[in-house]
Amino acid sequence: MGVMSTVSSGQHTRPMCYLLLLMILQLGLHTAEGVWPLPQTLISSTERFHLSPQAFYFGYGRQSAAQQGCSVLDAAFKRYFALIFPDYTSGRWNLFSDKNEKDGTLPFNVDKQFTVEVSVDHNDCDGYPNESSSERYNLSVFSGRASLKAVTVWGALRGLESFSQLVYQDDFGSYFVNKTDIKDFPRFQFRGILLDTSRHYLPVQAILKTLDAMAYSKFNVFHWHIVDDPSFPYQSRTFPDLSSKGAFHPMTHIYTQSDVRRVISHARMRGIRVLPEFDSPGHTKSWGKGQPDLLTPCYKGGIPSGTFGPINPALPSTYHFMATLFKEVSVVFPDSYIHLGGDEVDFSCWKSNPYVRAFMQKMGFGSDFTKLEAFYMENIVNITSALNKTSIVWQDVFDYHERVSTPQQITHINYEVRSTYYAELSRMTKAGMRVVLAAPWYINHISYGQDWHNYYTVQPLNFSGTEEQKKLVIGGEVCMWGEYVDATNLTPRLWPRASAAAERLWSDEKQTSNVDMAFPRLQDFRCKLVRRGIQAEPLYVGHCKQEYQGI
């Protein structure tokens, strides 16, 4: 007897939900909690197979475009061996190949051998995941073998994660996996996490740990809000004074070029894109400390007040500086997307500056400062377009000056009122814009109780518009702004609450609309995170079989 994920409709009443869960548990399906986020189709059986770490192998299928030596998959096999068998301390892992059979290195009892055979259609082992990378995979688990087939290595990574979550231990410590068939792909192509490293510096290790947890929840975009008003921790080769004068500390609170490469490499090996954000013209106070004449001098009573506002859009030197900086950034960050910000620009300093006002008159902008910001953003978008980058901007850019926005751009919805963001989705997609929705997932806000419900029950496509419009919503993003967050509380505040959004962005909405059905699965997944060393906070009263050991 099997259970398909497609039977769990959100229309069930609460007693029926509990009855179904009870039936599954009574069947002895230790995969009842199963895989998070829920696959598009999952069929699991009571038939189970014993796994022994000494007789467990990863291997490449004969027809696979990638073979041994594929950096992404070879590293994933080693990583997932340790995740699947956390109690096995020998440190060795096994790669199956024809050579094993020829030289006699197979385990003495071949009947107990289990091989995960991976096949991919494209050898993209040396590349980076991108906006069009397929993450589709099929996984079949049967006696002695699991077959994982994917279009790309990035899809194979998602399948390996699903397989790792299917493995469980009985009360005596033996490992098992049930007979399972999964056909899976993400609902949305863009599934992001934003970290803010300006308001509080996050050590590289904290970022790497976040990338690990992102992979466990199948997120695929790390939006690095790397600089802002409080500090400029990115160490630029071209403009070293930006960090030496703008960071909290010029040696200890910066990200060197080596640090950035390490983050990008760690992300790539987990199928995660790194999207940098250099927000301007506002949110740039820290920039001015290391770059003279970049920010606008504010005036009071006709004389300079000694304070500074947004980047000065009236000076040609501004655009020369930005072009040079973005040329460097475009090389350092290989992803085709770059975030230009454009939000929350305070016009008061521009209004006070007589030279800015004279520039506006010369340009025919009158006293409409949104036109001045539009002029600035248009120039920055052109700079990044010339570097073959797709620009993302916050919704202000669309709201204030739609003429800057083009279908080649992506607009990021960030204001949190539900009625407002649904209206924005309708307006933006009607204008042909691609959209990333972040507004309902500002996870830095906390409240007492199970607020993950709020993130889980978001319906990203529940706005007025045609099917063609809804196809323009390319995904969503969980934002962790850093006013009250640093390395001490980042992980428990982020997980497992972000995982609720992960399922909304990956899984079929009709199968995953009921929080009562989701609760035991998310509770089980939270325990998996804890066992993997992620300090994920509890959902409610209860315990994990293996509690967090890092304290």
Side-chain angles (χ1 to χ4, degrees):
M1 181 175 180
V3 175
M4 292 184 64
S5 66
T6 48
V7 302
S8 52
S9 166
Q11 302 303 313
H12 287 301
T13 62
R14 183 172 293 193
M16 289 179 68
C17 294
Y18 290 141
L19 180 61
L20 179 60
L21 284 170
L22 185 62
M23 288 172 59
I24 295 172
L25 291 169
Q26 288 176 337
L27 282 171
L29 289 181
H30 293 266
T31 54
E33 294 82 3
V35 177
W36 191 281
L38 187 71
Q40 302 293 333
T41 304
L42 184 152
I43 304 173
S44 190
S45 162
T46 54
E47 185 179 358
R48 67 180 190 175
F49 313 114
H50 179 261
L51 303 180
S52 168
Q54 295 89 347
F56 182 92
Y57 288 80
F58 288 105
Y60 293 91
R62 293 180 186 274
Q63 304 303 315
S64 175
Q67 293 292 333
Q68 188 171 352
C70 173
S71 59
V72 172
L73 291 181
D74 283 356
F77 295 160
K78 184 176 182 179
R79 192 166 65 247
Y80 276 105
F81 188 89
L83 291 172
I84 291 167
F85 302 110
D87 296 331
Y88 187 61
T89 57
S90 83
R92 66 185 289 273
W93 64 285
N94 308 310
L95 179 66
F96 177 82
S97 67
D98 293 338
K99 179 177 178 293
N100 296 120
E101 295 178 298
K102 294 172 184 174
D103 65 12
T105 57
L106 285 175
F108 65 92
N109 189 344
V110 178
D111 292 339
K112 292 185 177 181
Q113 179 189 323
F114 194 97
T115 301
V116 178
E117 185 179 275
V118 179
S119 296
V120 296
D121 295 338
H122 300 293
N123 182 358
D124 33 13
C125 299
D126 298 323
Y128 290 87
N130 59 57
E131 61 182 323
S132 59
S133 295
S134 170
E135 295 172 283
R136 181 183 294 269
Y137 70 91
N138 292 340
L139 174 65
S140 296
V141 181
F142 39 92
S143 180
R145 187 175 294 268
S147 172
L148 171 58
K149 296 181 179 180
V151 179
T152 68
V153 296
W154 320 117
L157 290 177
R158 307 298 173 237
L160 288 170
E161 175 58 39
S162 293
F163 178 82
S164 74
Q165 293 185 30
L166 292 172
V167 177
Y168 59 94
Q169 283 180 281
D170 65 11
D171 292 337
F172 304 100
S174 296
Y175 293 95
F176 294 93
V177 65
N178 283 44
K179 184 177 180 181
T180 306
D181 190 68
I182 292 174
K183 291 180 174 58
D184 202 13
F185 54 88
R187 181 185 181 199
F188 292 103
Q189 187 63 30
F190 187 111
R191 306 177 309 282
I193 294 276
L194 177 149
L195 294 186
D196 170 7
T197 59
S198 174
R199 291 174 176 88
H200 282 99
Y201 176 83
L202 294 174
V204 171
Q205 199 57 44
I207 296 174
L208 301 184
K209 192 172 188 178
T210 300
L211 291 168
D212 290 343
M214 285 174 63
Y216 303 153
S217 290
K218 297 188 174 74
F219 283 103
N220 69 343
V221 178
F222 169 40
H223 177 174
W224 195 349
H225 188 86
I226 193 167
V227 299
D228 206 298
D229 280 330
S231 73
F232 197 107
Y234 170 74
Q235 189 179 62
S236 167
R237 283 191 302 256
T238 316
F239 301 103
D241 281 353
L242 288 171
S243 61
S244 66
K245 296 180 179 179
F248 288 135
H249 189 283
M251 299 298 290
T252 59
H253 286 59
I254 60 170
Y255 300 107
T256 66
Q257 297 283 313
S258 176
D259 291 333
V260 172
R261 284 195 299 270
R262 187 178 173 198
V263 168
I264 292 170
S265 175
H266 197 88
R268 183 183 85 88
M269 299 301 271
R270 287 152 184 79
I272 296 171
R273 302 163 57 192
V274 179
L275 164 62
E277 180 181 358
F278 287 81
D279 191 357
S280 72
H283 292 279
T284 49
K285 287 181 182 177
S286 65
W287 300 43
K289 296 176 182 178
Q291 185 62 24
D293 303 321
L294 179 65
L295 303 186
T296 306
C298 306
Y299 279 66
K300 189 171 184 179
I303 60 172
S305 65
T307 60
F308 295 87
I311 284 176
N312 192 337
L315 298 178
S317 59
T318 290
Y319 302 102
H320 177 72
F321 164 78
M322 295 299 286
T324 307
L325 177 64
F326 279 122
K327 184 177 181 180
E328 175 189 312
V329 167
S330 71
V331 173
V332 172
F333 292 90
D335 197 80
S336 62
Y337 286 6
I338 188 166
H339 206 301
L340 304 179
D343 63 319
E344 300 175 332
V345 181
D346 184 351
F347 297 148
S348 58
C349 186
W350 284 351
K351 289 178 180 178
S352 77
N353 187 297
Y355 300 100
V356 171
R357 292 201 307 271
F359 177 78
M360 289 184 65
Q361 295 303 314
K362 176 185 172 184
M363 297 298 294
F365 298 157
S367 58
D368 187 349
F369 284 87
T370 65
K371 290 183 178 178
L372 180 60
E373 187 190 353
F375 171 80
Y376 172 83
M377 291 304 299
E378 197 166 12
N379 275 278
I380 302 304
V381 167
N382 289 340
I383 286 169
T384 53
S385 295
L387 295 167
N388 294 317
K389 296 289 186 179
T390 298
S391 56
I392 304 184
V393 294
W394 294 111
Q395 72 182 73
D396 301 39
V397 176
F398 180 87
D399 291 345
Y400 293 151
H401 28 75
E402 296 184 22
R403 74 185 183 87
V404 182
S405 304
T406 67
Q408 287 72 43
Q409 271 176 240
I410 296 168
T411 308
H412 208 154
I413 297 181
N414 56 309
Y415 293 126
E416 300 167 75
V417 180
R418 178 170 294 204
S419 59
T420 302
Y421 72 71
Y422 279 138
E424 287 286 338
L425 283 165
S426 184
R427 285 179 57 227
M428 290 175 181
T429 55
K430 189 173 183 180
M433 299 293 298
R434 287 181 292 165
V435 179
V436 172
L437 179 64
W441 292 304
Y442 268 43
I443 209 163
N444 46 290
H445 298 309
I446 57 173
S447 59
Y448 192 77
Q450 299 195 46
D451 60 353
W452 69 270
H453 291 186
N454 302 330
Y455 310 129
Y456 193 77
T457 54
V458 173
Q459 296 177 297
L461 301 185
N462 191 26
F463 64 91
S464 176
T466 65
E467 286 306 308
E468 289 305 309
Q469 282 180 250
K470 295 183 180 185
K471 289 176 184 176
L472 292 172
V473 181
I474 63 172
E477 182 173 274
V478 171
C479 294
M480 180 60 81
W481 296 103
E483 288 88 348
Y484 305 100
V485 176
D486 66 6
T488 64
N489 63 345
L490 169 66
T491 301
R493 188 170 291 197
L494 192 53
W495 310 106
R497 294 156 78 233
S499 301
E503 183 151 288
R504 180 56 52 242
L505 293 169
W506 179 282
S507 306
D508 179 84
E509 190 175 284
K510 291 180 181 178
Q511 297 182 52
T512 56
S513 58
N514 188 300
V515 293
D516 292 330
M517 293 291 287
F519 177 78
R521 298 174 43 248
L522 185 55
Q523 195 170 42
D524 176 72
F525 180 67
R526 180 257 168 177
C527 288
K528 288 174 181 172
L529 291 176
V530 166
R531 191 166 196 202
R532 293 179 178 190
I534 304 298
Q535 293 163 282
E537 68 179 18
L539 294 175
Y540 191 55
V541 176
H543 77 287
C544 292
K545 187 176 180 181
Q546 288 90 14
E547 295 289 0
Y548 184 72
Q549 299 296 318
I551 298 173

